[in-house]
Amino acid sequence: MKLLFSCIIFLAALAWSNIFTLSGSIFFEKGYLNIDTTKICDVDTSYINCSLEKGLAYYSTLDTNFAVFSQPRFGQIYVAIPSYDIANPAAYSHTITQVIRYEFMKWQEWGFFDLTRDSAQHLIDRILPESENMNNRNISHKKVCDTDPSQCLGWGAYGGGSGISDEEASRLPQKKYQIDMSEGLADTTENPLGIQQNFTPLPQIVPPGTSYKAFDMNGIYLYRGAWDGNFTVHTNPVILKFNNGRTAVFR
């Protein structure tokens, strides 16, 4: 009987050791990033759940194995793999560190705080270098650490990673990202603006100052802006969804 009980305990421990939640987080001292709270939920809601009280919950568009819980008002990004298979790490093409860094730069693109892209990149490179292993660890950053690291003896990574709660899991959206948005969009090379409807003179379609949200061709939200009569694509095609109901694709 004792042998049977020991076997059950061993098998349960083995199962627990193979499948568990892997997580990590980074958070900033209150007021450090000067968050614009009016923009926290101004993101696409089809694959991001958001509330001003609890922040954002979604699957990372870098790697949808990772669940992201971002609380911009408190300067926190919490990333987790709800069912991490420790016996098969090769199944994951990204790390907790890579996803946190990616999501922080998304904050900059989404306009949560007033930093240029270069400044935001410099900040995250200094606080969380790519070489840092964030598996079940947290980083807390304070303003004093910028000028006097000796005052932050406790600053850095420390044990954590208790896993996502049932409440957090329930906040995750049903889908991990939008379907391909390119279907039905005109691909116009002679005219830079491809409109789903018949083309008419640009000022009649999108007046200057019209706000828009930009997406990639998979419908992943990139950033927002205001139409000034011109748009340049630097790398991959971009879809603009204007608040007057019009949609355009730039290639």
Side-chain angles (χ1 to χ4, degrees):
M1 186 68 179
K2 289 183 178 180
L3 179 60
L4 177 60
F5 180 75
S6 298
C7 290
I8 293 174
I9 294 298
F10 173 77
L11 291 174
L14 182 63
W16 174 252
S17 66
N18 285 340
I19 303 294
F20 68 103
T21 299
L22 188 67
S23 63
S25 69
I26 181 171
F27 58 94
F28 297 84
E29 181 181 25
K30 184 177 180 180
Y32 181 89
L33 291 176
N34 192 24
I35 299 295
D36 186 345
T37 57
T38 64
K39 297 181 180 180
I40 290 177
C41 289
D42 190 22
V43 293
D44 187 75
T45 57
S46 61
Y47 67 95
I48 298 176
N49 287 336
C50 181
S51 72
L52 290 177
E53 178 183 356
K54 297 181 179 180
L56 296 84
Y58 56 100
Y59 292 96
S60 176
T61 54
L62 177 66
D63 188 332
T64 55
N65 285 310
F66 294 79
V68 181
F69 302 92
S70 297
Q71 295 184 322
R73 288 200 301 175
F74 303 104
Q76 182 179 26
I77 303 175
Y78 172 61
V79 172
I81 307 179
S83 299
Y84 181 75
D85 186 356
I86 193 173
N88 188 25
Y92 306 93
S93 56
H94 295 88
T95 66
I96 291 283
T97 299
Q98 290 172 330
V99 176
I100 292 177
R101 286 169 53 88
Y102 174 83
E103 296 303 332
F104 178 79
M105 294 306 297
K106 277 295 180 188
W107 279 17
Q108 189 276 331
E109 290 181 0
W110 293 348
F112 286 169
F113 49 79
D114 187 20
L115 283 178
T116 66
R117 182 170 183 82
D118 287 345
S119 295
Q121 189 69 64
H122 177 74
L123 176 61
I124 196 65
D125 285 345
R126 178 167 56 85
I127 296 173
L128 181 56
E130 293 183 352
S131 58
E132 183 74 63
N133 182 353
M134 287 297 292
N135 292 355
N136 290 336
R137 297 171 76 86
N138 304 303
I139 283 182
S140 173
H141 185 71
K142 301 179 181 180
K143 187 174 182 178
V144 67
C145 303
D146 292 339
T147 56
D148 189 0
S150 66
Q151 298 295 316
C152 299
L153 298 180
W155 171 63
Y158 59 93
S162 58
I164 65 175
S165 65
D166 291 340
E167 179 183 1
E168 289 172 328
S170 68
R171 292 186 58 228
L172 288 169
Q174 293 297 312
K175 60 180 179 178
K176 296 188 174 182
Y177 56 86
Q178 291 188 164
I179 60 173
D180 189 342
M181 291 180 63
S182 63
E183 183 178 355
L185 291 174
D187 179 11
T188 58
T189 54
E190 295 180 359
N191 193 317
L193 188 63
I195 302 294
Q196 288 176 302
Q197 292 79 16
N198 292 330
F199 184 79
T200 56
L202 180 57
Q204 299 179 28
I205 297 177
V206 183
T210 302
S211 62
Y212 63 78
K213 291 182 180 179
F215 301 81
D216 70 10
M217 299 303 282
N218 288 320
I220 294 173
Y221 176 78
L222 301 175
Y223 50 84
R224 70 174 186 166
W227 178 251
D228 62 2
N230 190 30
F231 189 85
T232 302
V233 177
H234 298 287
T235 53
N236 299 319
V238 175
I239 298 169
L240 300 187
K241 294 182 68 176
F242 296 94
N243 68 354
N244 66 355
R246 300 290 185 169
T247 302
V249 56
F250 289 84
R251 302 179 187 273

